[in-house]
Structure formats: structure tokens, C-alpha cells
Amino acid sequence: MSALDSIDLLLFSLSRAFCSPFAVFIQIQGCLISLTLALGWACAAYVRNREINQMKDAMRAGNSFAFLYHDINELEHSSQVNLPRVTVVMPLKGFGEHNLHNWRSQITSLYGGPLEFLFVVESTEDPAYHAISRLLSDFKDDVNAKIVVAGLSTMCSQKIHNQLVGVEKMHKGTKYVLFLDDDVRLHPGSIGALTAEMEKNPEIFIQTGYPLDLPSGSLGSYCIYEYHMPCSMGFATGGKTFFLWGGCMMMHADDFRLDRHGVVSGLRDGGYSDDMTLAAIAGAEKRLITSPPVAVFPHPLASDLSFSRYWNYLRKQTFVLESYISKVNWLMNRALFSSHCYLSWGFVVPYFMAIIHVAAALRIYIKGYSHDETTFTSSGLILVSCLALCIFVELFSMWNLTRIEVQLCNLLSPEAPRLSLASYNWGLVFIAMLVDNFLYPISAFRSHFSQSINWSGIRYHLRNGKICKIERSKNMGPTFTDLGGKSLYGKKGAPPKNSFLGSLARSLAQWRQPKKYDS
């Protein structure tokens, strides 16, 4: 047997060191993180699957409209005529490949009560203004929708500014206001389901939902999917939750009219993140946040979502932990910052150790070293086997939850093109898990020390958790937004096409409520 060369010596030394008690603890911890995620996704899958079974039971009982209501009697005119007025506020920025489909799914809702849509842009120069104008011209008087020009924000993020301007313009009889992002693809019954929960339990402060990412095939899109999946278990409780997603939030309109709990002032005075600010207020005031099991929305990612755009998105996500409205909120954000960074690298490091163990074992096999010199490798391979088993269980649990959410979305939108798991590349999902968890702490620390972020061509600076300075320049920001591939300064939107769901929505609106759009 030849003497150990320098590379083998280093490899074997590392493998032996990674069998020490502390290193074994790190690797076992990685296994526990994987199993905890798998358990969380299994619980989320149970909640979503229970909703699927209830819908199927209703359909077997003869209710072909179970995607709207489990009880078909809820579709009676006597029930529909008493539904409360809802205003949907959508802050817009830019125009991309999926926007027309998303907006059409929103305005063709089959909600039977009075409903208005306010599309809020910062100026008529925004490409979204021209695109939404053409979409609304197609529907003409069939939907109660209008475009609101909000102007530029001076004290808060542009999104929050657009939301607050939309609230000021909503109908005086509005009972609930629903904030939607322009990348949300609603189901026909989504607004009705959210409203029904608000009516059932007046103690609800905010109703929320969560997106089901549809990766486009690039590594960046899979990193987005992987980043969102751990959070999905917090939104699949079927009821009370501590999580809040700004892409879908239904609230009492009077909370804004009366500035209850400081929701308006908290957002307006230096607010950067709408959902983090409102979640902090809900926690401080002991108010209830819920997420119904049907509130999961298809979220197609841009077909050209590059890795750099994923990185920009991750930067924005970690930056929200630098904004806060109170000392308690700051402490909570620091706890989230620390725990997320620790768990992210706690997940990645065992795989680095596993690579060393496997490489050492391969060198032993190839060069034929004696057993006496390499006894440590058997312990390393046992740890690698445990880690491989745990990651298999984790990926299976993630696949199962995604499968069930795809099935639920297909049931909730029977008229839409069928979603499928066939396009998911689970090898890329695993790579994305390693990449995303490795980069998260780096992004978080960069956000902490920079205290500024570029969001859709606008640079925000924070001081004491609030926006203190806003800089705007077309040359200082990206041309496209991160997830939807939206052009921020591009061409006008193309005219939309008619859809079956749009025709159905117009017919039902005329049948059920001919005076729906009276002001």
C-alpha cells in the first residue's frame, strides 16, 4: 500500500474530524431539521386534503358548484342578496407575462355580493396603467372596476402608499377590503370564501392566503419555490395562524376608516412592509389572523427568472426584518433573523460534511487503503446514510404537499388549464434547498448592515425601522421585477382576449344583482 498523499491526508483528516461528538451533533441536527420540515408539510397536506375530501363529498351529493360553496343552498338568491360589499385594492407596478391572466381571474370572481375593484398605479407612465386600461375596456360595464392614480409615496413604500390611496377611494358602503398583489391568480370562489369566514367570525382581524409557486425551470425559480415552501405550513392551519402574506389580505374596512390600532398611521408613517407591519399590530393588539384551507393560489413564476433576480428577491425578503414599529416588534424580528440564519446553515453544513465522508470512502475504495488506517469512514458513512434517508423523507413530504395543493387548485378553478406536477424537477429542488439556505444568512447580514434596498427601481433607506429616505431613478434600478418578469418601464400591455369565466361572471352578475354597481 502506498503512503497517503497530501490530498488523501487532508480528506481523511476532515472525515475523521467530522466524526467528533460536536460534528456528529451538527449532522444529527441537520437530520432533525429535515424531519421537522417533513412533519410540518405532512400536517399542512392533511389540512388541504381534508378540504379536497369535503369538496368531493359535496360533488357526490349533487353539488356541482362545490368549488364555490359546500352547501349549494348558499347559491340561492335569498343568500346572495345579503352578502356584504367588498372592495378589492390591487397596487400595481409594471407589466409582465402573467399579469393579464392574473387580473382577469380577479375581476371575473363569482362572488355574488356588491364588489368593486380598484387598480392603483403610481402614474399613467406605468406600463400597468395601459395594460389594465385595455383589460377593463373589454369588460366595459360588466364589472365595477376603475384605475386610481396614487402619485408618488413620500413617507412609506410605494406599495403601501398605493394601498392606502385605494382605501381612501373605496365605496362608502364597503364592509371588507381585500388587498391583492398583481401576481395572485384567484379562484372563482376565493372572494366568497374569504368573506364567508369574516362573516362567520367577526373577531377575525385579517384573513390571508398563500401562493403555490409554479417553477419555470430555472434554478432561480426553484430557489423561490423552496424559499416559500417552509412558510406554507404556517398558512395551512385551516384557521388561526401567526403568519401573514401581503399578496392576499382581507380586513374590515372600518379598521382603516377609523385607524383602529393605528393600522393607517403604522403603515403610512415610514412603513416598508405591509404584511410585517400588520402582523406586528395584530400581535401587539392580540387580534386574530386566519387562513382558510381554500386560500392557496397558483403563482406562475417568470419563464426567464434568472438567478440574479432570485437574489434580488431574497434581498428584499431579508430586508423586511430590518423594519419594525415597536421595541417588541424589533425583538421578534431579531429572533427571526437569528433563528433563520442558524437553521439555514444548520441545514447546509451537514451536506458539506457528507460530501467529505463520501469522497473519503471513494478514495479508500479506489486506492485500496487498509482497514486499520480508515476505520473512521464507516462511522461517516452511517451519518451520510441517515442524512440521505432524512432528505428523502423531506422531499417526499414536500412533493406530497405540492401534489395535494395542485389537486386543490384544480378543483377550485375547474375552468382553468389543469396544473400538474409533471414539470417539477426534484433534483433541482434539492439543489435549490442547499443554495437558498446557504445564501439566506449572507443576504440577511447584508441587509442588516446596508439598511437600504432597491425595490422596483426605488431605493428605500431605513432609520430605526422606518423609511427615512426615498430615492427614485430609472437608471438605479432593474428593468424587470423579480418573480413575474414584469417590465417596469416597458411597452404598453397587449389587449386581452375574452374568456369563458369572464362571460360566466358577467351573466351571473346580471342574473343575481342587476343593481350591483349602483353607487
Side-chain angles (χ1 to χ4, degrees), residues 277-331:
T277 300
L278 291 172
I281 292 173
E285 301 294 334
K286 304 295 189 294
R287 296 300 307 273
L288 180 62
I289 301 175
T290 65
S291 182
V294 295
V296 54
F297 310 108
H299 181 215
L301 299 173
S303 58
D304 59 346
L305 200 158
S306 63
F307 193 80
S308 62
R309 296 215 322 249
Y310 151 70
W311 170 251
N312 289 334
Y313 176 78
L314 184 63
R315 284 273 290 114
K316 289 192 295 186
Q317 294 301 299
T318 56
F319 189 74
V320 299
L321 296 179
E322 301 304 315
S323 64
Y324 54 89
I325 62 172
S326 66
K327 184 67 174 179
V328 173
N329 187 205
W330 178 82
L331 290 173

Side-chain angles (χ1 to χ4, degrees), residues 54-73 75 110 188-189 410-415 500 504 508:
Q54 290 176 356
M55 290 179 63
K56 288 183 175 179
D57 289 342
M59 287 188 285
R60 281 192 289 266
N63 180 9
S64 57
F65 291 96
F67 65 97
L68 297 178
Y69 296 98
H70 289 168
D71 183 0
I72 198 171
N73 293 323
L75 280 169
L110 297 184
N410 286 333
L411 286 174
L412 291 170
S413 293
E415 86 300 335
F500 164 76
L504 179 60
L508 288 178

Side-chain angles (χ1 to χ4, degrees), residues 151-461:
L152 301 179
S153 64
T154 57
M155 301 172 61
C156 59
S157 69
Q158 187 65 45
K159 178 185 178 181
I160 289 177
H161 176 70
N162 288 11
Q163 289 172 324
L164 294 179
V165 170
V167 166
E168 292 175 359
K169 302 295 183 181
M170 68 182 173
H171 192 281
K172 62 181 180 181
T174 292
K175 186 174 183 180
Y176 302 115
V177 57
L178 174 61
F179 298 105
L180 292 177
D181 281 355
D182 59 2
D183 55 359
V184 172
R185 185 168 295 179
L186 286 186
H187 307 293
S190 293
I191 296 178
L194 292 169
T195 305
E197 292 295 322
M198 297 290 281
E199 290 287 281
K200 187 187 306 181
N201 184 1
E203 296 301 314
I204 293 176
F205 181 51
I206 308 175
Q207 280 239 81
T208 189
Y210 205 63
L212 167 62
D213 289 326
L214 306 175
S216 59
S218 66
L219 177 59
S221 68
Y222 279 101
C223 286
I224 297 292
Y225 165 76
E226 189 283 327
Y227 175 80
H228 284 158
M229 280 302 289
C231 298
S232 64
M233 64 185 72
F235 290 87
T237 61
K240 182 179 179 180
T241 181
F242 298 100
F243 295 84
L244 182 59
W245 178 51
C248 174
M249 303 184 298
M250 177 173 277
M251 301 180 65
H252 295 269
D254 282 344
D255 286 346
F256 287 88
R257 293 189 181 104
L258 304 176
D259 194 18
R260 287 182 183 144
H261 312 305
V263 293
V264 174
S265 54
L267 290 168
R268 180 192 59 214
D269 300 335
Y272 168 75
S273 170
D274 53 339
D275 48 13
M276 293 292 285
T277 300
L278 291 172
I281 292 173
E285 301 294 334
K286 304 295 189 294
R287 296 300 307 273
L288 180 62
I289 301 175
T290 65
S291 182
V294 295
V296 54
F297 310 108
H299 181 215
L301 299 173
S303 58
D304 59 346
L305 200 158
S306 63
F307 193 80
S308 62
R309 296 215 322 249
Y310 151 70
W311 170 251
N312 289 334
Y313 176 78
L314 184 63
R315 284 273 290 114
K316 289 192 295 186
Q317 294 301 299
T318 56
F319 189 74
V320 299
L321 296 179
E322 301 304 315
S323 64
Y324 54 89
I325 62 172
S326 66
K327 184 67 174 179
V328 173
N329 187 205
W330 178 82
L331 290 173
M332 290 294 294
N333 286 359
R334 290 304 93 199
L336 285 171
F337 176 96
S338 303
S339 60
H340 201 155
C341 289
Y342 178 82
L343 292 174
S344 289
W345 275 354
F347 176 85
V348 172
V349 168
Y351 290 95
F352 170 74
M353 296 180 174
I355 290 173
I356 297 299
H357 288 314
V358 171
L362 288 174
R363 294 293 289 181
I364 291 169
Y365 175 78
I366 292 171
K367 292 203 170 183
Y369 292 122
S370 69
H371 179 73
D372 293 338
E373 294 178 280
T374 58
T375 54
F376 59 89
T377 57
S378 58
S379 299
L381 291 179
I382 292 174
L383 292 171
V384 171
S385 300
C386 292
L387 191 61
L389 177 62
C390 291
I391 193 61
F392 173 80
V393 172
E394 180 183 3
L395 285 172
F396 176 82
S397 185
M398 183 189 292
W399 168 85
N400 185 54
L401 174 58
T402 306
R403 176 186 64 86
I404 289 174
E405 289 187 338
V406 163
Q407 185 179 0
L408 179 58
C409 287
N410 286 333
L411 286 174
L412 291 170
S413 293
E415 86 300 335
R418 310 296 286 174
L419 304 180
S420 171
L421 280 177
S423 62
Y424 284 74
N425 184 325
W426 295 98
L428 273 180
V429 171
F430 172 65
I431 295 173
M433 293 170 71
L434 298 178
V435 171
D436 182 62
N437 283 286
F438 174 75
L439 291 178
Y440 183 91
I442 298 173
S443 175
F445 278 99
R446 181 174 175 181
S447 296
H448 177 69
F449 289 107
S450 69
Q451 290 296 296
S452 69
I453 192 71
N454 191 313
W455 186 3
S456 298
I458 306 173
R459 180 162 293 278
Y460 299 101
H461 299 264

